[in-house]
Amino acid sequence: MVLAAFLALPLFAAEPASAPPTLPPTSTIYVSQEPAALNLLAENATVTRRMVDRVVRAATGQNDTVKAWRSLVSPNDRVGIKVAAAGGRYFASHHGIVEAILDGLEQAGVPRNRVIIWDREADDLRAAGYVSERGGYQTASIPPTRGYDRSAQFSAPILGKLIWGDLLFDEKQGKLGKRSEPADQLSSSSYLSTVLSKQVTKVINVPVLSDEAGCGVAGAIYNMTVPNLDNWRRFTQTDSDAASGLLDIYADERVGGKVVLTIMDALLVQYASGPRFNPNYSFPYHTIYASKDALALDANAFRLIEGWRKQARLPSIVNRAEWLQMGEQMGLGHFAENKIILHSVDPQ
């Protein structure tokens, strides 16, 4: 069975398998919700800044915003902010949230010009308004072929068809030439983006709350894995156990191990046709979540999406999101609803 093969085989060849970490009894998701955060689709950055400050203080156990950020990063770190830009102008990680993070990092001693904001596609970043010259930070995309790290290879027992842009596509084409057959372009290997493997030491992950056609939820784990891989399509195959491989990837120290905090942007949410923006299935939710447990954030997103789809009489995503439940067995975090605490940080 494919699922059993995933559990038995470590994906990153360079990293030996280890026992699952011991989880605390519960995980907490810190929640801030303010109706004034969005006016239709326009963000009120003043409001979202204080929302971010509140969830960061709560997630770090600090009563001071500067101390909160200093507990997460140091001036010696090269910090990356992994945004979700596929939704373009309206459904990317919101600028007010990212600006609040940038200010917090500056207060912790990490200047803007040493912070990298990145996602896979340069066009998506531009469409979402993330331009280095405007914000004082660096931006990075993952250029086809040369944007992947040959030394950060991993394998999984799921074959994917290489296409132009994947690291090994041109090499295989060059060796086979006219003799190339479709089967010759199948590969069980993927490579990590150089931005993540070599250019940043710590990451603030800022996913949006969205569904995804293949793996069900395009949330915290998805945002750190799928956009940072070549030959990634094999992990988002509809009705496949392949998505469980994303857990192994996130568990690697070079991926999830660099994430010091996840801030999920749920100012605008989407429950179908994601992660690209589709206004027919999206609505303002005016909420920001933060946690050090990425799996718990995705479990909460899954339950919300499932409820919204039920209200809209759309098919369930239970089968597509089954892979998330395995994360708890692996020690990545909590999936069970009774082990996840939603804690509001808003003034009463």
Side-chain angles (χ1 to χ4, degrees):
M1 183 179 176
V2 171
L3 196 57
F6 263 121
L7 290 174
L9 183 67
L11 287 175
F12 280 93
E15 297 290 329
S18 58
T22 302
L23 288 175
T26 60
S27 291
T28 302
I29 297 174
Y30 299 94
V31 188
S32 182
Q33 187 172 58
E34 289 204 36
L38 282 187
N39 180 12
L40 298 178
L41 294 180
E43 179 188 12
N44 185 330
T46 301
V47 175
T48 54
R49 176 180 298 273
R50 65 177 179 239
M51 294 168 72
V52 170
D53 288 348
R54 286 199 293 260
V55 295
V56 171
R57 288 196 300 266
T60 57
Q62 302 289 333
N63 58 13
D64 178 82
T65 303
V66 176
K67 290 180 180 178
W69 283 108
R70 286 178 178 168
S71 73
L72 295 171
V73 299
S74 72
N76 294 326
D77 283 316
R78 302 188 306 277
V79 182
I81 301 176
K82 176 60 184 71
V83 296
R89 177 180 178 184
Y90 296 112
F91 194 50
S93 305
H94 282 86
H95 281 255
I97 294 175
V98 174
E99 283 291 326
I101 295 169
L102 285 164
D103 283 352
L105 294 174
E106 278 194 301
Q107 292 170 354
V110 182
R112 284 178 174 242
N113 60 11
R114 288 185 47 221
V115 177
I116 299 176
I117 295 175
W118 93 99
D119 203 357
R120 175 188 282 123
E121 302 292 342
D123 287 347
D124 288 343
L125 285 166
R126 282 192 292 269
Y130 288 106
V131 181
S132 299
E133 291 77 10
R134 295 178 188 171
Y137 45 75
Q138 300 179 55
T139 58
S141 59
I142 306 171
T145 307
R146 60 188 175 86
Y148 297 100
D149 181 358
R150 189 176 292 272
S151 67
Q153 176 187 6
F154 60 88
S155 298
I158 295 292
L159 293 174
K161 182 179 179 181
L162 299 179
I163 64 171
W164 181 84
D166 291 332
L167 182 61
L168 299 183
F169 177 78
D170 287 340
E171 293 182 19
K172 285 199 171 190
Q173 284 286 94
K175 290 178 181 178
L176 296 168
K178 294 182 179 180
R179 296 181 292 107
S180 177
E181 299 288 340
D184 294 328
Q185 287 296 349
L186 295 178
S187 175
S188 62
S189 293
S190 290
Y191 294 85
L192 199 62
S193 71
T194 303
V195 176
L196 182 55
S197 67
K198 292 183 176 179
Q199 295 182 13
V200 299
T201 59
K202 289 184 178 176
V203 176
I204 310 299
N205 185 17
V206 191
V208 296
L209 198 165
S210 173
D211 80 305
E212 201 279 334
C215 63
V217 177
I221 292 173
Y222 176 100
N223 197 49
M224 283 299 299
T225 56
V226 171
N228 280 308
L229 303 169
D230 80 332
N231 195 18
W232 56 270
R233 294 158 296 279
R234 59 200 175 120
F235 298 117
T236 58
Q237 299 172 28
T238 306
D239 299 324
S240 170
D241 289 330
S244 60
L246 300 179
L247 297 169
D248 297 86
I249 299 165
Y250 190 85
D252 189 273
E253 283 301 309
R254 292 167 289 185
V255 185
K258 291 186 175 182
V259 178
V260 294
L261 187 65
T262 301
I263 299 175
M264 181 171 280
D265 179 348
L267 298 182
L268 185 71
V269 296
Q270 188 163 309
Y271 56 89
S273 296
R276 297 284 175 180
F277 181 49
N278 187 329
N280 295 312
Y281 302 108
S282 62
F283 63 94
Y285 197 56
H286 310 110
T287 304
I288 294 174
Y289 298 101
S291 182
K292 293 186 177 182
D293 185 340
L295 183 67
L297 285 165
D298 282 351
N300 180 63
F302 158 70
R303 293 183 177 101
L304 289 169
I305 291 169
E306 185 73 357
W308 295 328
R309 290 176 69 91
K310 185 176 181 179
Q311 292 174 16
R313 299 183 179 179
L314 292 173
S316 169
I317 61 168
V318 167
N319 291 338
R320 287 188 276 146
E322 280 182 340
W323 61 280
L324 286 171
Q325 299 183 48
M326 294 174 52
E328 193 158 15
Q329 302 168 26
M330 295 172 58
L332 280 185
H334 284 300
F335 179 87
E337 191 168 8
N338 64 355
K339 294 181 179 180
I340 300 172
I341 300 168
L342 293 173
H343 178 74
S344 174
V345 299
D346 296 327
Q348 300 302 313

